[in-house]
Amino acid sequence: MRRAPRSSFPAGRRAVTRTISDAPLGGTVRRTVLPSGLRVLTEAIPAMRSVSFGIWVGVGSRDETGGQGGAAHFLEHLLFKGTHKRSALDISSEIEAVGGETNAFTTKEYTCYYARVLDEDLPLAIDVMCDAVADSILEPADVETERGVILEEIAMHDDEPGDEVHDLFARAIYGDHPLGRLISGTEETVTPMTRRQIQGFYRRRYTPPNIVIAAAGNLDHTAVVKLVRQALRGTPLDADPAAPAPRRSATPAVRVRPRGTLVEPKETEQAHVILGCPGIDRVDDRRFALGVLNNVLGGGMSSRLFQEIRERRGLAYSVYSYASQYADSGVFAVYAGCAPGKVDEVLQLTRAELHRVATDGLTETEVARGKGMSKGSFVLGLEDTGSRMSRLAKGELLYGDLMSVDQLLARVDAVTVDEVNGLAAELLARPMSLAVVGPFGASDFAD
């Protein structure tokens, strides 16, 4: 039986709306802060016939205690299992009946629930998604069902060494810090987790100040805000006045482990290795230079590592570098998948290239190419409503600001050769940690 609705958003407090941008390369972006502290951002793109709608919660696996490992991910599964208004079948069938799609994902710092529908079906998507996120029942039977599903997901992940090595590397860098733990949790943490624990995590963490709602496509901002307020009326997210939560603090910085090696012995046909070091955090001004450095070093088929290890020597099918950034930390790493007998040579070549770039730097031509790659991938990534919706939410939730397309391109253009080479000299000279999944023992990498 549905609970009696509470009063709507408190009288005397009005939503505050402003236009963020109206640039030629993008649609009109507007932002409204509701009295409860919940934020709504939209990008109106009249040329589109679809809309992507997302509910982003500033809570991820790093917000769990050790005994809660996997709670955020467990909750993500459960919120589609039924509310006071809808069953799990209702939630999926109502969206699929209009040709739409829904999904969700959990990261270490946030969780997202989203739908993509035709523009005319946006009111339905808003009602369904807000209902699922705000008013889930978390039935005991559903908890047990999803526990089994998640345990199967964990087992499947263990059968994918190319994925497993990334988790192993995170543990090599962060140890038992939440950033070093599995987003899914482990069999040991998920099996005993109770409904009460998940419910407590849900109600403590899923509060209006921690939530950003974003939508992009053929829409009207005022209409979206009105529909959101209607959908949340009478739910736990119809809350007392509050200010939006600030973005996650960058201090104190996460303490990382000294250089180390972790090996997961596994009889695989291919060895999976990651060599890397602590990087920079998400809001570091050098992140644009890091993007350029990453592109040139291992970000594409023209990159130094790809050319040296795959094209010239044929030692690996897949080799690339990447940077992961969090509010207060980050990593920079190189991945390679190769025959077990070629691991030593691949690691030697990788270390040599990292040393060469740290010592000699990149050329002006390489930096120009890296900047072009950054700008092109960014703009081409905005060709659909889903990516535009994600940009709105991440700008608000992770950065506390939304740069326009022109501003971002200008920041990349402003990167200098000296800036990239200065970062390379600092970053690539740091002690390197190693993670390996394959037919080895720890003693095989003692040196």
Side-chain angles (χ1 to χ4, degrees):
M1 184 175 180
R2 183 167 173 81
R3 68 174 67 90
R6 288 186 258 170
S7 61
S8 184
F9 291 91
R13 289 290 302 273
R14 292 189 175 184
V16 178
T17 301
R18 67 185 177 92
T19 298
I20 295 178
S21 69
D22 195 7
L25 292 180
T28 300
V29 176
R30 300 184 71 193
R31 174 183 185 266
T32 293
V33 180
L34 299 182
S36 62
L38 187 147
R39 289 153 284 176
V40 181
L41 288 91
T42 67
E43 183 171 11
I45 314 169
M48 299 282 193
R49 282 305 313 271
S50 68
V51 178
S52 290
F53 176 83
I55 302 176
W56 296 66
V57 188
V59 176
S61 61
R62 72 172 299 175
D63 298 300
E64 304 159 349
T65 63
Q68 292 178 324
H73 177 249
F74 206 145
L75 181 59
E76 174 219 311
H77 277 244
L78 287 170
L79 293 196
F80 284 107
K81 300 300 288 185
T83 71
H84 291 89
K85 288 171 56 177
R86 293 178 173 89
S87 67
L89 179 58
D90 291 335
I91 291 171
S92 59
S93 64
E94 287 186 30
I95 297 296
E96 290 179 359
V98 297
E101 57 187 19
T102 62
N103 213 330
F105 59 88
T106 305
T107 73
K108 295 187 178 183
E109 295 193 322
Y110 56 87
T111 307
C112 173
Y113 305 83
Y114 65 93
R116 185 166 180 252
V117 294
L118 296 178
D119 50 9
E120 63 193 44
D121 298 313
L122 178 58
L124 172 67
I126 292 175
D127 190 56
V128 171
M129 297 303 292
C130 287
D131 184 33
V133 174
D135 205 25
S136 182
I137 298 174
L138 308 187
E139 289 281 9
D142 292 330
V143 172
E144 295 311 311
T145 298
E146 289 308 305
R147 189 192 315 278
V149 171
I150 292 168
L151 291 174
E152 288 298 321
E153 185 178 350
I154 292 172
M156 181 177 68
H157 183 75
D158 289 342
D159 289 336
E160 297 289 342
D163 295 333
E164 188 180 7
V165 71
H166 290 279
D167 295 324
L168 193 66
F169 178 70
R171 184 149 56 89
I173 293 289
Y174 294 113
D176 195 43
H177 184 277
L179 288 177
R181 300 178 197 153
L182 294 174
I183 292 173
S184 62
T186 65
E187 184 177 353
E188 291 71 27
T189 60
V190 170
T191 299
M193 195 174 297
T194 66
R195 177 190 180 277
R196 183 176 180 180
Q197 287 176 301
I198 300 169
Q199 175 80 10
F201 188 88
Y202 180 28
R203 290 308 173 201
R204 286 193 306 273
R205 301 289 187 171
Y206 279 51
T207 61
N210 285 328
I211 294 176
V212 170
I213 288 180
N218 187 22
L219 53 79
D220 175 76
H221 178 82
T222 302
V224 170
V225 172
K226 181 179 180 180
L227 289 166
V228 167
R229 298 185 75 163
Q230 289 174 346
L232 295 180
R233 187 170 294 129
T235 74
L237 295 187
D238 185 358
D240 294 332
R247 64 178 172 84
R248 195 183 295 268
S249 176
T251 56
V254 175
R255 294 183 63 182
V256 297
R257 297 178 67 182
R259 174 175 54 192
T261 298
L262 290 180
V263 179
E264 181 66 33
K266 190 163 287 191
E267 291 303 318
T268 58
E269 294 296 320
Q270 189 178 47
H272 301 269
V273 299
I274 294 181
L275 180 70
C277 62
I280 62 176
D281 65 50
R282 182 187 299 120
V283 296
D284 192 306
D285 287 338
R286 299 172 295 173
R287 63 189 184 274
F288 300 98
L290 177 60
V292 173
L293 173 64
N294 180 62
N295 287 337
V296 175
L297 189 55
M301 295 176 65
S302 63
S303 68
R304 288 192 178 200
L305 288 168
F306 191 93
Q307 286 293 312
E308 182 66 23
I309 293 174
R310 173 170 165 162
E311 293 296 285
R312 294 195 184 99
R313 302 174 186 265
L315 295 173
Y317 174 76
S318 178
V319 55
Y320 58 84
S321 62
Y322 67 92
S324 296
Q325 294 164 298
Y326 307 106
D328 48 4
S329 185
V331 297
F332 181 81
V334 175
Y335 163 87
C338 63
K342 297 178 180 178
V343 165
D344 286 343
E345 188 175 1
V346 168
L347 285 174
Q348 182 181 12
L349 289 168
T350 299
R351 290 183 185 277
E353 195 60 56
L354 295 178
H355 177 73
R356 188 175 299 113
V357 173
T359 303
D360 301 331
L362 305 181
T363 66
E364 289 189 12
T365 300
E366 287 178 316
V367 169
R369 185 173 75 245
K371 289 163 69 171
M373 292 172 67
S374 290
K375 293 192 295 181
S377 62
F378 171 68
V379 174
L380 293 178
L382 297 178
E383 293 296 312
D384 64 88
T385 58
S387 60
R388 286 176 178 250
M389 179 270 290
S390 296
R391 186 175 83 92
L392 298 181
K394 289 180 180 179
E396 178 70 28
L397 195 63
L398 306 183
Y399 296 94
D401 186 28
L402 181 68
M403 288 189 187
S404 69
V405 174
D406 286 340
Q407 287 174 323
L408 280 164
L409 296 180
R411 288 294 296 272
V412 175
D413 276 331
V415 171
T416 66
V417 175
D418 288 343
E419 187 180 2
V420 174
N421 290 338
L423 178 61
E426 176 193 334
L427 190 66
L428 303 183
R430 293 176 179 175
M432 295 281 167
S433 291
L434 176 67
V436 182
V437 175
F440 306 103
S443 60
D444 293 320
F445 299 92
D447 295 333

